[in-house]
Amino acid sequence: MSRTPAPSSRVVVIGAGIVGCSLADELTARGWTDVTVLEQGPLPAPGGSTSHAPGLVFQTGPSKTLTEFAAYTVQKFGSLDVDGLSCFHPVGGLEIATTEARWADLHRKAGLAASWGIRGELIGPQQCKRLWPMLDETTLYGGFHTPDDGLARAVLACRAQIARAEQRGARFLDRHTVTGIERADGRVTGVTTDRGTFPADHVVSAAGFWGPVIGAMAGVDVPLLPLAHQYATTEPLPELAGVNDPRDEASKPILRFQDRDLYFREHTDRIGIGSYAHRPMPVDPFTVAAFDDAPPSSQLRSSRGDPHVMPSSLPFTAADFAPSWQDSVGLLPALGASRVAEGFNGVFSFTPDGMPVLGESRELRGFWLAEAVWVTHSAGVAKAVAEWMTDGRPAIDIHECDLYRFEDAQRSPAYIADRGAQNFIEVYDVIHPLQPMEQPRPLRTSPFYPRQQELGAYFLEGGGWERPHWYEANAPLAEGLQLPERDAWSARYWSPIAAAEARATREKVALYDMTPLRRLEVTGPGALAFLQRMTSNNLAKKPGAVTYTLLLDETGGIRSDLTVARLAPDRFQIGANSGADLDWLLRHAPDDGGPSRSSEAESGGVQVRDSTSGTCCVGVWGPLARALVQPLTRDDFSHQAFGYFRAKQTYLGHVPVTAMRLSYVGELGWELYTTADMGLRLWDTLWEAGQEHGVIAAGRSAFNSLRLEKGYRAWGHDMTTEHDPYEAGVGFAVRPAKGDFVGRAALEGRSEETASRRLTCLTLDDPAAVVLGKEPVLVDGTPAGYVTSAAYGYTLGRGIAYAWLPAAAAVPGTAVHIEYFGEKIPATVAQEPLIDPQMERIRR
């Protein structure tokens, strides 16, 4: 199914902040000219977050997607001007470190910049002072300078894009308050305002922190929390007198003092100070209305509106800012002779994971969200949403922003409030890639949770699930193991017990909790035809077959990878990755699956249902797996009777199970599924039977090491929609001869031989070296790719990393370097898989 509507589609965008204006420009540039932008406030500074935003654009971060959004924002706004003044002022950025931990983190950030193609340089205290003479350089370890970052003049960028969009036929109507969203037969049909109704085929909510209000009118949850953020401006400073052109306002880089949750920018002869150091101040968007009386545009201060008259600007709470002022004076001693001249608490949006919320609602077709977007990412987000609307997909992977990435348990108002506030607190914190949220926990637990607690499980969190990473009960097994010493960063959320659990899996047998793996059921007389059309491999096999396959988009990009078990002629169980997979299948089900607020749809002889919460799964893996399982069942679990990638419905003791002979750790074994109510009995049955075989429980840390030794990909990390199957090394899951399927036409003519880049296995030359992921890979001293997944290979005895590299460099034996916290670690391209290339261990 293509989502590309007719060129005559009528679009109504709600909100003329930076996102709405950018989207109107992007849509009209693509030929969609019937675009109406409705704004409740006055233009050009309507009073939302855009109007008071300080305009900071720092491009580099852990998210490749957000970095690409920011890079496009820099590029686009740098090409726009109003009255001869550019909409982007490239003063650069400077992040400083006053602690060893922050200085180490800036080395990591420099690596991220190299991975994502952003210019940046680590500099010493004296160089920092040359860029910012007011700094007390004696407090610094150093800084990270990014010369292409700078200040977005958001209101000017709105004006420039309004003018361009209007020239192409768009219209912008201010002082129109939306009062309702009209719909019929599951589709949006129009927008009602206090000044009339506007028919629409597509409605985009770009309402900023009012997004939940608009979403409520449409019956669509918008998981964001508005929070107030303090911003203050000093009195005029003698040190800045005559330094800056009043039109430019600033000449020095944006300064971030993240050790104290502060940032600084110049306003001609004053300094603006933003603080995240205060208590979270949530705002109820349903109580904030647009202002009635707007100042004339001549009174709007350069690129910002007057914060004192904006609904998004709340009264300044001086007591909250007092500690930040003292920290500011400590960093910039000249401020000691000044004071806060004015300030406000500006409102903007946070989501449970800190990412934007983008995409079309499945519950109300044609209703789109472009929410929780900061100025930094605004133009990039608008481009992606415009591509999504006009072409059916964004050009870059945006799964981290997808509306359906959140589980139902993560969409409650309480969860959104808890996590939104915590994300505010942590916005400038040094966050480890494995660092879990602290509250609310535990939220989702498998039926095995009580036994895991008894075994001393160390839990991390993902998707709300408590996931054991290792078990303290296995500590005696780690005694005497010779493992390289880890640095403080890689030692966080790690234990040598993981090595013992990996070894036990290779030598004996281990139980792995695979319950958080999403499970879907597709049933009905049309199920096979539907899945054949949706996936890349051939599923037309006899019941009992299990197939590894891919969900592709229309361009051949990998949306997800799946395991599909045909349990009966018209019944399939799918192992999927995220809620976006369910959403994709529901949208493409016959007759589009019909509008549905639930996680299932029934239409056209096909039923699609999410069965995750009602079921559970144990992976039983290791050379003694058959010795453990076979005595519990009357069915034959021999290799001849129960081959690899086969499924069987049976009983283990008193427990009905669906057994699938799959292994993501490269060892003999099965995934055993049962209903949630029988889960604890299944665990106890396996545990008791396994005692004579030395069974242990093992966690995700060992699992990740074992899967990388075997070369198994993790969707969302190793491959996304930006990659095709041949580049990612999963071309074996594509069967063009089976007939038409989504993405087939786009893959014609492609092969592993034609791929210009490849997902590549690297081994670290130094057996003591470790990397964690997202580090740049240097070929001949130049950044050429980046690490996707990494772990220490306990069987191999050295670190493993998978990375995207140019095909010319992805040749076994090629020497490369991985930059880890500034250190260049030698590595070598390896032939994969590293362990058991003949698959003898799995097929015994």
Side-chain angles (χ1 to χ4, degrees), residues 252-284:
K252 298 176 184 61
I254 309 161
L255 180 65
R256 289 211 286 190
F257 182 20
Q258 293 176 299
D259 288 321
R260 290 293 184 271
D261 297 314
L262 294 168
Y263 63 82
F264 306 85
R265 59 152 292 181
E266 295 170 296
H267 292 288
T268 311
D269 59 352
R270 305 167 185 252
I271 290 180
I273 308 170
S275 172
Y276 292 97
H278 54 82
R279 61 190 168 89
M281 303 177 190
V283 175
D284 183 354

Tab-separated table of all heavy atoms in Angstrom, residues 252-284:
chain	number	residue	atom	x	y	z
A	252	LYS	N	30.535	35.399	19.779
A	252	LYS	CA	31.189	34.283	20.441
A	252	LYS	C	30.339	33.012	20.304
A	252	LYS	O	29.119	33.081	20.142
A	252	LYS	CB	31.397	34.604	21.925
A	252	LYS	CG	32.293	35.809	22.188
A	252	LYS	CD	32.358	36.121	23.669
A	252	LYS	CE	33.185	37.381	23.904
A	252	LYS	NZ	32.594	38.561	23.225
A	253	PRO	N	30.975	31.851	20.404
A	253	PRO	CA	30.216	30.601	20.318
A	253	PRO	C	29.172	30.495	21.425
A	253	PRO	O	29.324	31.079	22.502
A	253	PRO	CB	31.292	29.514	20.490
A	253	PRO	CG	32.583	30.183	20.205
A	253	PRO	CD	32.417	31.621	20.604
A	254	ILE	N	28.132	29.757	21.157
A	254	ILE	CA	27.216	29.379	22.231
A	254	ILE	C	28.038	28.592	23.247
A	254	ILE	O	28.798	27.691	22.890
A	254	ILE	CB	26.087	28.477	21.705
A	254	ILE	CG1	25.407	29.082	20.484
A	254	ILE	CG2	25.076	28.200	22.800
A	254	ILE	CD1	24.635	28.055	19.685
A	255	LEU	N	27.876	28.923	24.496
A	255	LEU	CA	28.671	28.304	25.555
A	255	LEU	C	27.772	27.403	26.387
A	255	LEU	O	26.732	27.839	26.893
A	255	LEU	CB	29.282	29.399	26.435
A	255	LEU	CG	30.157	28.942	27.604
A	255	LEU	CD1	31.408	28.236	27.107
A	255	LEU	CD2	30.527	30.143	28.481
A	256	ARG	N	28.185	26.144	26.524
A	256	ARG	CA	27.414	25.220	27.366
A	256	ARG	C	28.274	24.763	28.541
A	256	ARG	O	29.364	24.217	28.359
A	256	ARG	CB	26.935	24.015	26.550
A	256	ARG	CG	25.846	24.374	25.572
A	256	ARG	CD	24.879	23.230	25.324
A	256	ARG	NE	25.438	22.182	24.502
A	256	ARG	CZ	24.716	21.171	23.980
A	256	ARG	NH1	23.405	21.119	24.200
A	256	ARG	NH2	25.283	20.242	23.250
A	257	PHE	N	27.748	25.006	29.732
A	257	PHE	CA	28.378	24.634	30.994
A	257	PHE	C	27.518	23.521	31.581
A	257	PHE	O	26.772	23.710	32.534
A	257	PHE	CB	28.437	25.865	31.905
A	257	PHE	CG	29.102	25.672	33.227
A	257	PHE	CD1	29.979	24.617	33.469
A	257	PHE	CD2	28.846	26.564	34.266
A	257	PHE	CE1	30.592	24.451	34.698
A	257	PHE	CE2	29.456	26.413	35.507
A	257	PHE	CZ	30.328	25.355	35.724
A	258	GLN	N	27.628	22.344	30.992
A	258	GLN	CA	26.701	21.268	31.302
A	258	GLN	C	26.919	20.674	32.693
A	258	GLN	O	26.021	20.045	33.250
A	258	GLN	CB	26.777	20.192	30.228
A	258	GLN	CG	26.260	20.694	28.884
A	258	GLN	CD	26.416	19.663	27.778
A	258	GLN	OE1	27.523	19.248	27.469
A	258	GLN	NE2	25.317	19.266	27.183
A	259	ASP	N	28.117	20.881	33.253
A	259	ASP	CA	28.338	20.408	34.622
A	259	ASP	C	27.436	21.116	35.624
A	259	ASP	O	27.246	20.627	36.747
A	259	ASP	CB	29.806	20.611	35.012
A	259	ASP	CG	30.728	19.638	34.298
A	259	ASP	OD1	30.340	18.462	34.137
A	259	ASP	OD2	31.831	20.043	33.885
A	260	ARG	N	26.915	22.286	35.239
A	260	ARG	CA	25.972	22.998	36.104
A	260	ARG	C	24.643	23.254	35.395
A	260	ARG	O	23.862	24.107	35.790
A	260	ARG	CB	26.575	24.335	36.556
A	260	ARG	CG	27.733	24.191	37.531
A	260	ARG	CD	27.250	23.614	38.860
A	260	ARG	NE	28.325	23.544	39.839
A	260	ARG	CZ	29.146	22.510	39.998
A	260	ARG	NH1	28.998	21.445	39.211
A	260	ARG	NH2	30.093	22.520	40.903
A	261	ASP	N	24.373	22.500	34.329
A	261	ASP	CA	23.087	22.585	33.617
A	261	ASP	C	22.810	23.992	33.096
A	261	ASP	O	21.667	24.477	33.142
A	261	ASP	CB	21.939	22.130	34.519
A	261	ASP	CG	22.060	20.669	34.919
A	261	ASP	OD1	22.331	19.852	34.029
A	261	ASP	OD2	21.911	20.355	36.120
A	262	LEU	N	23.818	24.651	32.540
A	262	LEU	CA	23.698	26.036	32.087
A	262	LEU	C	24.188	26.194	30.659
A	262	LEU	O	25.048	25.439	30.189
A	262	LEU	CB	24.525	26.973	32.986
A	262	LEU	CG	24.077	27.120	34.437
A	262	LEU	CD1	25.152	27.836	35.240
A	262	LEU	CD2	22.764	27.882	34.507
A	263	TYR	N	23.634	27.189	29.975
A	263	TYR	CA	24.185	27.630	28.688
A	263	TYR	C	24.132	29.149	28.627
A	263	TYR	O	23.363	29.803	29.349
A	263	TYR	CB	23.440	26.994	27.511
A	263	TYR	CG	21.979	27.353	27.385
A	263	TYR	CD1	21.575	28.546	26.777
A	263	TYR	CD2	20.989	26.491	27.844
A	263	TYR	CE1	20.230	28.871	26.640
A	263	TYR	CE2	19.643	26.803	27.717
A	263	TYR	CZ	19.272	28.006	27.113
A	263	TYR	OH	17.947	28.326	26.979
A	264	PHE	N	24.977	29.707	27.752
A	264	PHE	CA	25.126	31.154	27.642
A	264	PHE	C	25.192	31.549	26.168
A	264	PHE	O	25.778	30.830	25.349
A	264	PHE	CB	26.423	31.621	28.324
A	264	PHE	CG	26.568	31.181	29.751
A	264	PHE	CD1	27.094	29.925	30.063
A	264	PHE	CD2	26.188	32.013	30.791
A	264	PHE	CE1	27.235	29.511	31.375
A	264	PHE	CE2	26.329	31.613	32.115
A	264	PHE	CZ	26.844	30.357	32.405
A	265	ARG	N	24.597	32.693	25.869
A	265	ARG	CA	24.744	33.302	24.552
A	265	ARG	C	24.695	34.817	24.715
A	265	ARG	O	24.169	35.342	25.703
A	265	ARG	CB	23.657	32.848	23.589
A	265	ARG	CG	22.241	33.153	24.025
A	265	ARG	CD	21.294	33.322	22.844
A	265	ARG	NE	21.586	34.517	22.084
A	265	ARG	CZ	20.901	34.911	21.015
A	265	ARG	NH1	19.891	34.194	20.584
A	265	ARG	NH2	21.204	36.017	20.368
A	266	GLU	N	25.257	35.503	23.744
A	266	GLU	CA	25.288	36.964	23.798
A	266	GLU	C	24.010	37.551	23.209
A	266	GLU	O	23.430	37.006	22.263
A	266	GLU	CB	26.483	37.491	23.007
A	266	GLU	CG	27.830	37.093	23.588
A	266	GLU	CD	28.959	37.443	22.639
A	266	GLU	OE1	28.985	36.863	21.535
A	266	GLU	OE2	29.795	38.294	22.981
A	267	HIS	N	23.582	38.674	23.800
A	267	HIS	CA	22.549	39.538	23.233
A	267	HIS	C	23.159	40.935	23.163
A	267	HIS	O	22.943	41.771	24.042
A	267	HIS	CB	21.290	39.541	24.112
A	267	HIS	CG	20.557	38.236	24.129
A	267	HIS	ND1	19.840	37.765	23.061
A	267	HIS	CD2	20.437	37.292	25.112
A	267	HIS	CE1	19.304	36.596	23.370
A	267	HIS	NE2	19.657	36.285	24.609
A	268	THR	N	23.955	41.155	22.147
A	268	THR	CA	24.691	42.403	21.933
A	268	THR	C	25.599	42.697	23.140
A	268	THR	O	26.670	42.112	23.232
A	268	THR	CB	23.734	43.563	21.629
A	268	THR	OG1	22.809	43.140	20.596
A	268	THR	CG2	24.513	44.768	21.081
A	269	ASP	N	25.179	43.546	24.074
A	269	ASP	CA	26.042	43.876	25.203
A	269	ASP	C	25.591	43.180	26.494
A	269	ASP	O	26.010	43.541	27.585
A	269	ASP	CB	26.104	45.393	25.419
A	269	ASP	CG	24.729	46.006	25.689
A	269	ASP	OD1	23.711	45.285	25.563
A	269	ASP	OD2	24.670	47.207	26.009
A	270	ARG	N	24.741	42.184	26.359
A	270	ARG	CA	24.264	41.420	27.513
A	270	ARG	C	24.540	39.937	27.269
A	270	ARG	O	24.829	39.523	26.149
A	270	ARG	CB	22.754	41.621	27.717
A	270	ARG	CG	22.315	43.072	27.842
A	270	ARG	CD	20.796	43.182	27.716
A	270	ARG	NE	20.353	44.573	27.710
A	270	ARG	CZ	19.720	45.166	28.722
A	270	ARG	NH1	19.458	44.473	29.816
A	270	ARG	NH2	19.351	46.418	28.646
A	271	ILE	N	24.377	39.163	28.307
A	271	ILE	CA	24.505	37.715	28.186
A	271	ILE	C	23.190	37.078	28.619
A	271	ILE	O	22.628	37.420	29.670
A	271	ILE	CB	25.669	37.175	29.041
A	271	ILE	CG1	27.002	37.621	28.437
A	271	ILE	CG2	25.616	35.649	29.120
A	271	ILE	CD1	28.203	37.141	29.217
A	272	GLY	N	22.710	36.180	27.790
A	272	GLY	CA	21.549	35.371	28.150
A	272	GLY	C	22.001	34.069	28.765
A	272	GLY	O	22.965	33.435	28.309
A	273	ILE	N	21.306	33.663	29.812
A	273	ILE	CA	21.666	32.455	30.568
A	273	ILE	C	20.442	31.545	30.649
A	273	ILE	O	19.389	31.951	31.148
A	273	ILE	CB	22.134	32.798	31.989
A	273	ILE	CG1	23.249	33.858	31.956
A	273	ILE	CG2	22.598	31.540	32.721
A	273	ILE	CD1	23.578	34.422	33.335
A	274	GLY	N	20.598	30.339	30.170
A	274	GLY	CA	19.539	29.346	30.292
A	274	GLY	C	19.907	28.304	31.317
A	274	GLY	O	21.068	27.870	31.390
A	275	SER	N	18.952	27.890	32.112
A	275	SER	CA	19.227	26.945	33.199
A	275	SER	C	18.255	25.776	33.182
A	275	SER	O	17.044	25.961	33.079
A	275	SER	CB	19.133	27.654	34.558
A	275	SER	OG	19.215	26.708	35.610
A	276	TYR	N	18.834	24.570	33.310
A	276	TYR	CA	18.064	23.350	33.561
A	276	TYR	C	18.304	22.852	34.979
A	276	TYR	O	17.959	21.712	35.311
A	276	TYR	CB	18.480	22.243	32.586
A	276	TYR	CG	18.103	22.512	31.145
A	276	TYR	CD1	19.030	23.060	30.260
A	276	TYR	CD2	16.841	22.199	30.671
A	276	TYR	CE1	18.707	23.292	28.938
A	276	TYR	CE2	16.507	22.429	29.347
A	276	TYR	CZ	17.441	22.973	28.486
A	276	TYR	OH	17.113	23.199	27.174
A	277	ALA	N	18.925	23.704	35.812
A	277	ALA	CA	19.337	23.263	37.140
A	277	ALA	C	18.224	23.333	38.171
A	277	ALA	O	18.425	22.924	39.313
A	277	ALA	CB	20.522	24.109	37.603
A	278	HIS	N	17.093	23.848	37.801
A	278	HIS	CA	16.018	24.035	38.780
A	278	HIS	C	15.070	22.841	38.799
A	278	HIS	O	15.151	21.936	37.969
A	278	HIS	CB	15.252	25.321	38.460
A	278	HIS	CG	14.741	25.378	37.051
A	278	HIS	ND1	13.577	24.767	36.652
A	278	HIS	CD2	15.251	25.974	35.935
A	278	HIS	CE1	13.383	24.985	35.362
A	278	HIS	NE2	14.376	25.707	34.906
A	279	ARG	N	14.172	22.877	39.730
A	279	ARG	CA	13.157	21.830	39.863
A	279	ARG	C	12.298	21.771	38.599
A	279	ARG	O	12.080	22.788	37.928
A	279	ARG	CB	12.252	22.146	41.062
A	279	ARG	CG	11.505	23.475	40.908
A	279	ARG	CD	10.798	23.932	42.166
A	279	ARG	NE	10.352	25.302	42.029
A	279	ARG	CZ	9.161	25.659	41.532
A	279	ARG	NH1	8.304	24.735	41.167
A	279	ARG	NH2	8.829	26.936	41.434
A	280	PRO	N	11.800	20.610	38.232
A	280	PRO	CA	10.873	20.539	37.092
A	280	PRO	C	9.612	21.350	37.384
A	280	PRO	O	9.077	21.307	38.494
A	280	PRO	CB	10.551	19.045	36.989
A	280	PRO	CG	11.678	18.359	37.671
A	280	PRO	CD	12.117	19.274	38.774
A	281	MET	N	9.172	22.095	36.363
A	281	MET	CA	7.974	22.929	36.507
A	281	MET	C	6.978	22.540	35.406
A	281	MET	O	6.922	23.168	34.347
A	281	MET	CB	8.328	24.404	36.379
A	281	MET	CG	9.377	24.894	37.355
A	281	MET	SD	9.767	26.645	37.049
A	281	MET	CE	11.210	26.861	38.097
A	282	PRO	N	6.221	21.476	35.614
A	282	PRO	CA	5.267	21.057	34.586
A	282	PRO	C	4.152	22.073	34.399
A	282	PRO	O	3.761	22.784	35.330
A	282	PRO	CB	4.723	19.724	35.124
A	282	PRO	CG	4.966	19.790	36.593
A	282	PRO	CD	6.200	20.611	36.793
A	283	VAL	N	3.644	22.129	33.175
A	283	VAL	CA	2.589	23.074	32.804
A	283	VAL	C	1.447	22.287	32.178
A	283	VAL	O	1.671	21.405	31.346
A	283	VAL	CB	3.122	24.132	31.809
A	283	VAL	CG1	2.003	25.039	31.331
A	283	VAL	CG2	4.254	24.935	32.452
A	284	ASP	N	0.239	22.599	32.562
A	284	ASP	CA	-0.940	21.958	31.975
A	284	ASP	C	-1.307	22.702	30.694
A	284	ASP	O	-1.753	23.848	30.746
A	284	ASP	CB	-2.110	22.004	32.955
A	284	ASP	CG	-3.345	21.292	32.425
A	284	ASP	OD1	-3.338	20.864	31.249
A	284	ASP	OD2	-4.325	21.171	33.189
